[in-house]
Amino acid sequence: MREDGAIGRGVIAIDGPAGAGKSTVAKRVADSLGLAYVDTGAMYRGITLLGMRSGISPEKDEKKLAELVRTAELKFEARPEGLWVYLNGEDVTRAIRQPEVSRQVSYYARVPSVRQLLTSLQRELAAAGGIVMEGRDIGTVVLPDADKKFFITASVLERARRRQRDLVQQGYRVTLEDLVREIEERDRLDSSRAMAPLCVAPDAVVIDTSNLTVDEVVARIVAEVGVL
Ligand code: DC
């Protein structure tokens, strides 16, 4: 926060469902505008990996999970290439992308103490301004005063195809049908949770990327942002 308590200038919020291409687009927008980039999904993934490794179920052991999150050493480092995540000193930036973490993350992201902690960390990261922050609830809850808000979406099938391409590149084998099911389930969980559900902020610009290239989406956002 600035001394006057307000959020700094040059704050762009990008929200949207899983696999809509937010991360690629947000990173490119940040690069072309010379802003920092923070992928808040990586923060939720870090907590999920921590919980999974400790054998703590987000549904049954909410108290234990809150305690673990408070005591574990979870560090986030905003680099030009993306958000680096460290867990008790170990670099887990790659490990948090495992399909098993993707399957579990919505359950951990529903826990109020987890959301409270990450929301305040995210506000601290944005306090100085000059940032593109990407997630599910950035424009609605984390940074409601952001200068510009975007909601990036795409059809479920197109999102599943993109996810499959990414996973194949990382050496994982998954079927399109399984990915469609997983994405639908994640959308359902992310949109129906009680706290900070995935929804479009009333003042967000909605972009359906199903038939757009990354370059086209980036160009639209950069044009819309204009001069901050
Ligand atoms: O963007 P992603 O797929 O890496 O996000 C992983 C999960 O984290 C997603 O299923 C929902 C959750 N998430 C959230 O609840 N709020 C955010 N601001 C970002 C992600």
Side-chain angles (χ1 to χ4, degrees), residues 40-41 44-45 105-106 109 115 135-137 163 186 190 193:
T40 60
Y44 285 95
R45 286 170 179 274
V105 62
S106 291
R115 298 209 73 83
R136 302 291 192 286
D137 60 342
R163 205 55 139 193
R186 259 217 287 159
D190 292 346
R193 69 174 169 236

Side-chain angles (χ1 to χ4, degrees), residues 15-19 22-23 39-45 48 96-97 101-102 105-107 109-110 115 122 134-138 142 163 186 190 193 195-196:
D15 290 301
K22 285 186 314 282
S23 300
D39 158 18
T40 60
M43 301 170 98
Y44 285 95
R45 286 170 179 274
T48 302
I96 59 166
R97 302 286 157 197
V101 173
S102 304
V105 62
S106 291
Y107 300 99
R110 291 165 84 98
R115 298 209 73 83
Q122 289 154 10
E134 169 240 317
R136 302 291 192 286
D137 60 342
I138 309 305
V142 179
R163 205 55 139 193
R186 259 217 287 159
D190 292 346
R193 69 174 169 236
M195 201 173 168

Side-chain angles (χ1 to χ4, degrees), residues 163-221:
R163 205 55 139 193
Q164 192 181 39
R165 272 199 299 269
D166 283 354
L167 288 168
V168 166
Q169 264 177 10
Q170 293 170 49
Y172 294 106
R173 277 179 54 190
V174 276
T175 68
L176 200 58
E177 295 70 41
D178 282 349
L179 285 173
V180 165
R181 254 196 308 277
E182 240 174 63
I183 285 179
E184 282 174 343
E185 177 63 2
R186 259 217 287 159
D187 282 358
R188 194 184 63 73
L189 290 170
D190 292 346
S191 311
S192 66
R193 69 174 169 236
M195 201 173 168
L198 172 69
C199 62
V200 186
D203 48 350
V205 176
V206 180
I207 303 178
D208 185 330
T209 69
S210 303
N211 298 308
L212 296 175
T213 63
V214 171
D215 283 348
E216 286 169 331
V217 181
V218 172
R220 265 188 58 190
I221 293 180

Side-chain angles (χ1 to χ4, degrees), residues 9 30 125:
R9 294 286 82 190
L125 286 170

Side-chain angles (χ1 to χ4, degrees), residues 12 27 31-32 41 47 51 55 59 68 85 91 98-99 118 131-132 137 157 161 163 170 173 180 184 188 204 215 221:
I12 300 176
K27 197 183 157 316
D31 284 348
S32 62
I47 286 192
E59 273 129 356
L68 180 73
V85 183
D91 179 355
Q98 292 165 62
L118 291 187
I131 196 167
V132 176
D137 60 342
L157 187 60
R161 282 201 196 107
R163 205 55 139 193
Q170 293 170 49
R173 277 179 54 190
V180 165
E184 282 174 343
R188 194 184 63 73
D215 283 348
I221 293 180

